[in-house]
Amino acid sequence: MDAALQPVFNIFKSKTCKFIIAGSLLIVSSELAYELYLWLRKVPKRKPKSCEVFFINRRKLVQPLPSPQEFLFEHINRIISYIDRAEKSICLAMYIFTMREISEAVIRAKKERSVIVRVVTCESMVGNEGSYLRDLITEDIKVQYKYKSEYLMHHKFCLIDTDWYCANCLIAYHTAQHGEPTKNMQHTLFDKAVMSDREGLLQRFGSSCARCNPALQGRKQATMLRKDDNDPLPKSGVLIAGSSNWTFPGLTTHWDTVTISSLPELIDPFAAEFQRMWYELNDPLDATLTREPLYKLRRGLQK
């Protein structure tokens, strides 16, 4: 047996074979070392923050330095980047809305991705000459306000891809947060509806949603898994809120703030508040009434 294997042993003992084996080991070890180098060099992906606060007249110092345009539009571009990632819904409550670039992003969301867009505003801003509400209305986006209201709708917030409450969940949340309305504690139309017109709320908001129906929750998760997006929004959606109106100075130079959060503890109250306004401030805008100067003449804003 040893004599039969001797030629094989002689091959392994030869200089040529030793050279081939050594070269192969060197190549393999080099590949392993290179892969280890790449692994150690790889920067771990930064985990998105669940809540960030931005001050409008401050900028982040980054390298390489941005162009003057990018520097000026930092906060505007940030809002647009979130709107451009919307896949399901945009609920916007905004007092003054004069940013063309943001308006175009909202319209893109509706036209290109079939995002449901709902807007609540203030009647006092409907006739604002610089308002881009008219562009939204032209694209069949539903914009609501309260006609001849005594009070301003002064909110400045936007909910992106957040859950929509059904009537039952909305009533339950409202009651848990503020108590059951009583005969002498009906401060708003919504309070009165909770007290005496729950059928109306059911007709308005339905009786089932992803919050209370496991089947709808599963469908939502499946939709999220189908997204081909390198930077998807958080599962709970995003709230953009602060003191800034969506105007050029309001998002570039004023002493204002914008908070962006995916915390349910912040999103839930704003979602419920938006639906309360959607129920109460329910006079839809008529595009024909916003055309200048006809609208000004009808509203007595121009003599």
Side-chain angles (χ1 to χ4, degrees), residues 1-2 13 15 69 78-80 88 110-111 132 135 141 152 161 173 180 195 197 204 210-211 223 236 268 297:
M1 180 67 72
D2 291 342
K13 289 179 180 179
K15 289 183 178 180
Q69 177 81 357
R78 183 177 293 109
I79 291 173
I80 290 172
K88 186 176 64 171
K110 179 183 183 295
K111 293 180 68 174
Y132 274 89
D135 294 64
I141 291 173
L152 295 179
D161 283 1
Y173 184 86
E180 186 81 32
M195 185 77 180
D197 187 25
R204 182 78 168 176
R211 294 174 180 268
T223 302
S236 57
D268 289 349
L297 292 171

Coordinates of all heavy atoms in Angstrom, one line a residue, residues 1-2 13 15 69 78-80 88 110-111 132 135 141 152 161 173 180 195 197 204 210-211 223 236 268 297:
M1 N 0.8 -1.2 0.0 CA 0.0 0.0 0.0 C 0.9 1.3 0.0 O 0.6 2.2 -0.7 CB -0.9 0.0 1.2 CG -1.9 1.2 1.3 SD -3.1 1.3 0.0 CE -4.1 -0.1 0.5
D2 N 1.9 1.2 0.9 CA 2.8 2.4 0.9 C 3.5 2.7 -0.4 O 3.7 3.8 -0.8 CB 3.8 2.2 2.0 CG 3.2 2.2 3.4 OD1 2.1 2.7 3.5 OD2 3.9 1.8 4.4
K13 N 5.4 16.4 -2.1 CA 6.7 16.9 -1.6 C 7.4 17.8 -2.6 O 8.4 18.4 -2.2 CB 7.5 15.7 -1.2 CG 7.1 14.9 0.0 CD 7.9 13.7 0.3 CE 7.5 12.9 1.5 NZ 8.3 11.8 1.8
K15 N 8.5 20.8 -5.1 CA 8.5 22.2 -4.9 C 7.3 22.8 -5.7 O 6.7 23.8 -5.2 CB 9.8 22.8 -5.4 CG 11.0 22.5 -4.6 CD 12.2 23.1 -5.1 CE 13.4 22.8 -4.2 NZ 14.7 23.5 -4.7
Q69 N -28.4 77.6 -2.2 CA -29.8 77.2 -2.4 C -30.2 76.1 -1.4 O -31.3 76.1 -0.8 CB -30.1 76.8 -3.8 CG -31.5 76.3 -4.1 CD -32.5 77.4 -4.3 OE1 -32.1 78.6 -4.2 NE2 -33.7 77.1 -4.7
R78 N -36.6 69.2 3.6 CA -36.9 68.1 4.6 C -38.4 67.8 4.6 O -38.7 66.6 4.5 CB -36.4 68.6 6.0 CG -36.6 67.5 7.0 CD -36.1 67.9 8.4 NE -34.7 68.0 8.4 CZ -34.0 69.2 8.5 NH1 -34.8 70.3 8.6 NH2 -32.7 69.3 8.5
I79 N -39.2 68.8 4.6 CA -40.7 68.5 4.5 C -41.0 67.8 3.2 O -41.8 66.8 3.2 CB -41.5 69.8 4.7 CG1 -41.3 70.3 6.2 CG2 -43.0 69.6 4.4 CD1 -41.9 71.7 6.4
I80 N -40.5 68.3 2.1 CA -40.8 67.7 0.8 C -40.3 66.3 0.8 O -41.0 65.4 0.2 CB -40.1 68.5 -0.3 CG1 -40.8 69.9 -0.4 CG2 -40.1 67.8 -1.6 CD1 -40.1 70.8 -1.4
K88 N -49.7 56.3 1.7 CA -51.1 56.1 2.0 C -51.9 57.3 2.2 O -53.0 57.4 1.5 CB -51.1 55.3 3.3 CG -52.5 54.8 3.7 CD -52.5 53.9 5.0 CE -52.0 54.7 6.2 NZ -52.1 53.9 7.5
K110 N -50.6 62.7 -4.7 CA -52.0 62.3 -5.1 C -52.0 61.7 -6.6 O -52.5 60.6 -6.8 CB -52.9 63.5 -5.1 CG -54.3 63.1 -5.5 CD -55.2 64.3 -5.5 CE -56.7 63.9 -5.9 NZ -56.8 63.4 -7.3
K111 N -51.3 62.4 -7.5 CA -51.4 62.0 -8.9 C -50.6 60.8 -9.2 O -51.0 59.9 -10.0 CB -51.0 63.2 -9.8 CG -51.9 64.4 -9.7 CD -51.5 65.5 -10.6 CE -51.6 65.1 -12.1 NZ -51.2 66.3 -12.9
Y132 N -51.5 78.5 -2.1 CA -51.5 77.4 -3.1 C -52.6 76.5 -2.9 O -52.7 75.4 -3.5 CB -50.2 76.7 -3.1 CG -49.2 77.4 -4.0 CD1 -48.4 78.5 -3.5 CD2 -49.1 77.1 -5.4 CE1 -47.5 79.1 -4.3 CE2 -48.2 77.8 -6.2 CZ -47.4 78.8 -5.7 OH -46.6 79.5 -6.5
D135 N -54.4 75.6 -6.1 CA -53.8 74.5 -6.9 C -54.2 73.1 -6.5 O -54.4 72.3 -7.3 CB -52.2 74.7 -6.8 CG -51.7 76.0 -7.5 OD1 -52.1 77.0 -6.9 OD2 -51.0 75.9 -8.5
I141 N -58.2 67.8 -4.9 CA -57.9 67.5 -3.5 C -58.9 68.2 -2.6 O -59.2 69.4 -2.8 CB -56.5 68.0 -3.1 CG1 -55.4 67.1 -3.9 CG2 -56.2 68.0 -1.6 CD1 -54.0 67.6 -3.8
L152 N -60.3 81.2 14.4 CA -59.3 80.9 13.4 C -59.0 79.4 13.5 O -58.9 78.8 14.6 CB -58.0 81.6 13.7 CG -58.0 83.1 13.4 CD1 -56.6 83.7 13.7 CD2 -58.5 83.5 12.0
D161 N -49.1 59.1 6.4 CA -49.2 57.7 6.5 C -49.6 57.2 7.9 O -49.2 56.2 8.3 CB -48.0 57.0 6.0 CG -47.8 57.0 4.5 OD1 -48.7 57.5 3.8 OD2 -46.8 56.4 4.0
Y173 N -61.3 57.0 21.9 CA -60.1 57.8 22.2 C -60.5 59.2 22.8 O -59.9 59.6 23.8 CB -59.2 58.1 20.9 CG -58.0 58.8 21.2 CD1 -56.8 58.1 21.6 CD2 -57.9 60.2 21.1 CE1 -55.6 58.8 21.8 CE2 -56.7 60.9 21.4 CZ -55.6 60.2 21.7 OH -54.4 60.9 22.0
E180 N -66.5 61.5 29.0 CA -67.7 61.4 28.3 C -68.5 62.7 28.3 O -68.7 63.3 29.4 CB -68.6 60.3 29.0 CG -69.9 60.0 28.3 CD -69.7 59.0 27.1 OE1 -68.8 58.2 27.2 OE2 -70.4 59.1 26.1
M195 N -72.5 62.7 21.9 CA -73.6 62.6 22.9 C -74.9 62.2 22.2 O -75.6 61.3 22.7 CB -73.8 64.0 23.5 CG -74.8 64.1 24.6 SD -74.2 63.4 26.1 CE -75.6 63.6 27.2
D197 N -75.4 62.0 18.3 CA -75.5 61.6 16.8 C -74.3 60.7 16.5 O -73.6 60.9 15.5 CB -75.4 62.9 16.0 CG -75.6 62.6 14.5 OD1 -76.2 61.6 14.2 OD2 -75.1 63.4 13.7
R204 N -69.9 59.0 8.8 CA -68.8 59.9 8.4 C -67.4 59.1 8.4 O -66.6 59.2 7.4 CB -68.7 61.1 9.3 CG -67.6 62.0 9.0 CD -67.9 63.0 7.9 NE -67.0 64.1 7.8 CZ -67.0 65.0 6.9 NH1 -67.9 64.9 5.9 NH2 -66.1 65.9 6.8
A210 N -57.9 50.1 11.0 CA -56.7 49.2 11.3 C -56.4 49.2 12.8 O -55.7 48.3 13.2 CB -55.5 49.8 10.5
R211 N -56.9 50.2 13.5 CA -56.7 50.2 14.9 C -57.5 49.1 15.7 O -57.1 48.6 16.7 CB -57.1 51.6 15.5 CG -56.2 52.7 15.0 CD -56.7 54.0 15.5 NE -55.8 55.1 15.0 CZ -54.8 55.6 15.7 NH1 -54.5 55.1 16.9 NH2 -54.1 56.6 15.2
T223 N -48.9 45.6 2.7 CA -48.7 46.7 1.8 C -47.3 47.4 2.0 O -46.6 47.7 1.1 CB -49.8 47.8 2.0 OG1 -51.0 47.2 1.7 CG2 -49.5 49.0 1.0
S236 N -45.5 53.6 12.0 CA -46.6 54.4 12.6 C -46.9 55.7 11.9 O -47.8 56.4 12.2 CB -46.3 54.7 14.1 OG -45.1 55.5 14.2
D268 N -51.0 60.1 17.9 CA -52.4 59.8 18.2 C -53.3 61.1 18.5 O -54.4 61.2 17.9 CB -52.5 58.8 19.3 CG -52.1 57.4 18.9 OD1 -51.9 57.2 17.7 OD2 -51.9 56.6 19.7
L297 N -64.5 90.2 -4.2 CA -65.7 91.0 -4.3 C -66.8 90.3 -3.5 O -67.5 91.0 -2.8 CB -66.0 91.2 -5.8 CG -65.1 92.0 -6.6 CD1 -65.4 92.0 -8.1 CD2 -65.2 93.5 -6.1

